[in-house]
Amino acid sequence: MSQPVSEAQRPMLEWIVGGIAAGIVAALIVYLGYKALEGEPSPPDLAAAVERIEQVSGGWLVRTTLNNSGGETAAAVLLKAELRNGTDIVEEREITFDYVPANSARKGAFLFTSQPATAEAIAFVVQGYSEP
Amino acid sequence: MRSMQRGRDDAKPGKSSDDASSHSRVLKDFGRAAGGALIFSLPILMTMEMWALGFTIDRARLLLLVVLALPLLVILSRHIGFEETQSWRDDILDALVALGVGLVVSIAILLLFKVLGPAMSLDEVVGKIALQAIPASIGALLAKSQFAMQDDDAAPKEDTYGGEMFLMAVGALFLGFNVAPTEEMVLISYQMTEWHTLAMVLLSLLVMHGFVFAVGFAGGTEIGPDTPWWSELLRLTIPGYLIALLISVYLLWTFGRMDDASLQQMITAAVVLGFPASVGAAAARLIL
């Protein structure tokens, strides 16, 4: 292949590969263009939920998922968990999530010394976030 | 041992010079490989995300990466090895040597940085070494043939279409691997809007096509004066960009950056990593 070849001489395979790749890249561009024209994304919408409670040597581990259903990413999200007994707050814990991307979830865990009676005994408060 | 050697040398002077030159050649080869491993993997050896990934990376994904690395090295040796007539056995040997050099260099440097220590679990130590050894061994293999070009008179290998695609994949993997583990990849994707992402796709394509064009003229073989501009774009640039994107997705998934992410986050992160990967892919055709 050291001579320039005319277009018709090029192997069919190259055109097929090129055509498929062009289709996928075009789909990507159309998708991004559509998303871009959709307008301003919604702000971060954060909600925490208990995933599982387990006993560890330091006390009780409450595995938690923080879900962001908004269209923007939240950074440095400070999440507080309150362990309640009726209306009394027994223990409070805080953790920071570095990033909770748009429409994504991140996981963490709180450590309590007393046993949570049920998952409902834990109340979450999202304190705030910064923009990445 | 030395006196024995000398005695034999004295007896057969002709043979001794052969021995000496083959010894120094082996030494040179290992030196080149170690140098290449260093050049290509030092940035990543000094990246703290890579140390953390050593114990956080999903073991199945790490295993897959290691399993894929060996055939990659063999095929790479096949494509850029200095002798056209090299046999598969030589290629496998070259790949294993590169892997060995990559391992030794990684272990030595990680020990030097005290990233490896006696208090660590075997699992952590193995994870850290395995992860670093892969880019280091690719570097070892690339350098071994790259640096050897000067004393090589053999005609350059014919480039097949599949070979070009493979070289682009290696280039994408190479530059991509150096930045993929860093937190910046996802951080940049969080900062960008869709407009930024779109602009990045177009810029990546433009840069790649620039390289494709430059190589076409440098080699003077592929692009004829009557070749329309869209021919190279469709046959090389766009498939090359897709390869860069796929490699990016694979690397991000391996390093756990795709976990619990939405489709849009995955696409944006892939486009961000796809930018250096596409530059690597396009440059590989020029350099390798």
Side-chain angles (χ1 to χ4, degrees), chain B:
Chain B
M1 177 84 182
R2 178 173 289 176
S3 66
M4 263 178 67
Q5 181 80 36
R6 181 170 298 164
R8 207 183 62 187
D9 286 357
D10 287 345
K12 297 176 196 167
K15 177 89 168 30
S16 90
S17 75
D18 276 4
D19 269 5
S21 82
S22 94
H23 276 159
S24 80
R25 196 189 161 133
V26 167
L27 261 180
K28 238 190 203 165
D29 269 2
F30 274 104
R32 273 175 189 149
L38 269 181
I39 291 172
F40 288 113
S41 68
L42 260 184
I44 208 165
L45 279 162
M46 290 178 137
T47 301
M48 69 178 185
E49 284 91 339
M50 280 294 276
W51 312 336
L53 276 166
F55 49 88
T56 60
I57 191 171
D58 185 284
R59 296 291 128 171
R61 295 180 199 182
L62 179 58
L63 179 68
L64 181 67
L65 189 66
V66 173
V67 167
L68 288 178
L70 202 61
L72 176 96
L73 288 172
V74 173
I75 301 172
L76 188 59
S77 166
R78 185 93 217 154
H79 272 273
I80 63 165
F82 15 91
E83 293 155 65
E84 176 103 45
T85 51
Q86 227 175 10
S87 69
W88 280 107
R89 221 190 63 181
D90 288 343
D91 290 325
I92 291 169
L93 193 67
D94 271 2
L96 289 173
V97 167
L99 204 59
V101 170
L103 273 170
V104 170
V105 166
S106 302
I107 293 171
I109 301 296
L110 289 176
L111 279 172
L112 193 64
F113 293 163
K114 211 165 173 283
V115 173
L116 297 180
M120 292 166 189
S121 73
L122 183 67
D123 190 47
E124 180 180 348
V125 171
V126 170
K128 281 175 175 171
I129 296 171
L131 198 54
Q132 296 281 9
I134 292 164
S137 54
I138 297 176
L141 193 64
L142 288 181
K144 207 171 156 237
S145 50
Q146 252 344 90
F147 297 166
M149 285 304 180
Q150 283 83 357
D151 48 51
D152 176 38
D153 302 324
K157 286 187 184 180
E158 290 256 310
D159 286 334
T160 62
Y161 187 62
E164 299 238 19
M165 292 293 135
F166 177 77
L167 281 188
M168 288 209 267
V170 171
L173 188 66
F174 201 72
L175 217 54
F177 210 114
N178 268 289
V179 286
T182 65
E183 193 175 303
E184 280 80 357
M185 288 309 107
V186 280
L187 176 57
I188 292 169
S189 74
Y190 297 157
Q191 291 176 156
M192 289 183 0
T193 68
E194 286 79 14
W195 290 113
H196 292 90
T197 317
L198 205 53
M200 195 174 259
V201 171
L202 298 177
L203 180 66
S204 305
L205 283 168
L206 187 73
V207 169
M208 279 197 86
H209 198 58
F211 269 104
V212 166
F213 222 62
V215 176
F217 283 121
T221 54
E222 283 278 320
I223 303 178
D226 55 343
T227 306
W229 62 274
W230 48 263
S231 167
E232 298 295 311
L233 184 74
L234 193 61
R235 289 184 312 110
L236 287 172
T237 309
I238 291 179
Y241 185 56
L242 189 63
I243 285 172
L245 282 182
L246 291 176
I247 297 267
S248 302
V249 168
Y250 172 68
L251 287 175
L252 289 167
W253 173 79
T254 300
F255 296 142
R257 299 292 193 193
M258 292 291 200
D259 300 358
D260 296 312
S262 64
L263 176 69
Q264 180 149 15
Q265 288 296 336
M266 291 181 188
I267 289 178
T268 314
V271 169
V272 170
L273 181 56
F275 183 44
S278 61
V279 174
R285 292 186 59 237
L286 193 67
I287 298 163
L288 296 181

Side-chain angles (χ1 to χ4, degrees), chain A:
Chain A
M1 262 238 243
S2 51
Q3 293 297 312
V5 285
S6 79
E7 294 315 299
Q9 285 174 283
R10 296 214 189 270
M12 200 59 207
L13 176 76
E14 301 188 12
W15 294 113
I16 294 170
V17 171
I20 293 170
I24 295 171
V25 172
L28 172 73
I29 291 172
V30 168
Y31 172 82
L32 289 171
Y34 169 77
K35 284 282 176 186
L37 289 170
E38 223 178 29
E40 279 283 292
S42 55
D45 190 349
L46 300 156
V50 173
E51 196 183 313
R52 209 162 65 237
I53 301 176
E54 347 174 349
Q55 190 171 12
V56 292
S57 55
W60 295 85
L61 190 72
V62 178
R63 292 183 182 272
T64 306
T65 305
L66 182 59
N67 187 51
N68 179 4
S69 52
E72 279 178 354
T73 295
V77 185
L78 186 58
L79 179 67
K80 186 164 81 168
E82 299 168 346
L83 175 57
R84 292 184 179 179
N85 185 6
T87 52
D88 302 337
I89 296 171
V90 185
E91 285 181 49
E92 277 184 358
R93 295 289 183 270
E94 282 182 343
I95 52 176
T96 305
F97 290 82
D98 286 346
Y99 299 105
V100 188
N103 293 308
S104 303
R106 284 293 176 269
K107 287 170 187 171
F110 293 97
L111 263 171
F112 292 104
T113 46
S114 23
Q115 181 180 7
T118 59
E120 285 72 44
I122 296 159
F124 294 105
V125 184
V126 179
Q127 310 270 31
Y129 64 87
S130 67
E131 284 187 14

